[in-house]
Amino acid sequence: AWDDDPAFVWAWYAWRAGLVRSVEPNDGHRALAAWAGHADVEIITQNVDDLHERAGSEVLAHVHGSLLSFRCAECQAPYEGAVDVPTEPVERIDPPVCPRCGGLVRPGVVWFGEALPEREVAAALQAIESLGPTDLCLVVGTSGVVFPVAGWPAIARATASLEARARAPRRISSGRAPPPSSQEGTSAPRRQAS
């Protein structure tokens, strides 16, 4: 759609950015921000808004980019200039032009078929892979079906589980024989059906 009609796509995203700017973080956003005051909380989000930040959280990774950051479609340079945001939907708005190369400025979101931002993915995976057996990983508000992100909870579970097994205390033998039900060639008594 962008290649066919950038002004149409830009108008839709600019209007959406205005809508996001007009709403406030919800209780979930505020709860995570408050929790971070008492614990080490790392937020990895697929949301393209800034509601976590406005609630007071630091976001480790926006893996689908940000609706409120813009970049050049050609040279990928961040765009810091002014962006007109309509209060009502409009058919077309010409996107700004990159001051560096003259390309069109686009929303900073990940579109279908595009790669996720490498820095964001690396930060997210590093946090997930560093989880320990007593760490908590919350997965909230997602369908859990779009990969690769949908696989990250399983990585978190496996990482914490492996570390728990690696740190588990070794069983120390007391020198007594194991109970009869666990000795080879024996079986535990069975109840007879009455």
Side-chain angles (χ1 to χ4, degrees):
W2 174 260
D3 291 335
D4 294 335
D5 195 348
F8 179 77
V9 174
W10 181 260
W12 188 84
Y13 277 98
W15 174 63
R16 298 288 293 173
L19 291 177
V20 166
R21 289 178 179 162
S22 72
V23 298
E24 294 298 318
N26 66 32
D27 288 342
H29 298 109
R30 287 188 288 276
L32 289 172
W35 191 8
H38 307 286
D40 183 18
V41 175
E42 293 181 305
I43 296 175
I44 301 164
T45 184
Q46 296 180 83
N47 295 343
V48 295
D49 56 48
D50 65 343
L51 296 174
H52 283 293
E53 289 90 343
R54 286 196 278 146
S57 292
E58 286 187 36
V59 174
L60 177 68
H62 276 276
V63 295
H64 287 158
S66 173
L67 183 61
L68 304 170
S69 66
F70 308 97
R71 68 176 187 265
C72 177
E74 300 302 319
C75 73
Q76 306 303 314
Y79 179 74
E80 304 295 335
V83 172
D84 291 328
V85 177
T87 57
E88 297 293 323
V90 295
E91 182 85 16
R92 286 183 171 68
I93 301 173
D94 288 329
V97 174
C98 174
R100 179 186 280 174
C101 76
L104 296 178
V105 172
R106 59 161 280 178
V109 298
V110 176
W111 287 327
F112 287 104
E114 293 182 328
L116 297 178
E118 289 180 24
R119 188 193 72 72
E120 307 288 320
V121 170
L125 286 173
Q126 180 178 354
I128 291 165
E129 291 169 351
S130 69
L131 290 170
T134 60
D135 291 329
L136 175 65
C137 177
L138 294 176
V139 180
V140 180
T142 180
S143 63
V145 296
V146 180
F147 282 83
V149 178
W152 292 356
I155 294 171
R157 187 171 35 254
T159 299
S161 175
L162 288 173
E163 186 166 327
R165 278 186 257 145
R167 291 187 181 180
R170 292 187 179 149
R171 188 174 195 168
I172 300 173
S173 172
S174 65
R176 291 184 287 170
S181 62
S182 66
Q183 290 180 354
E184 191 174 307
T186 64
S187 61
R190 296 182 190 211
R191 271 192 198 179
Q192 298 208 0
S194 48

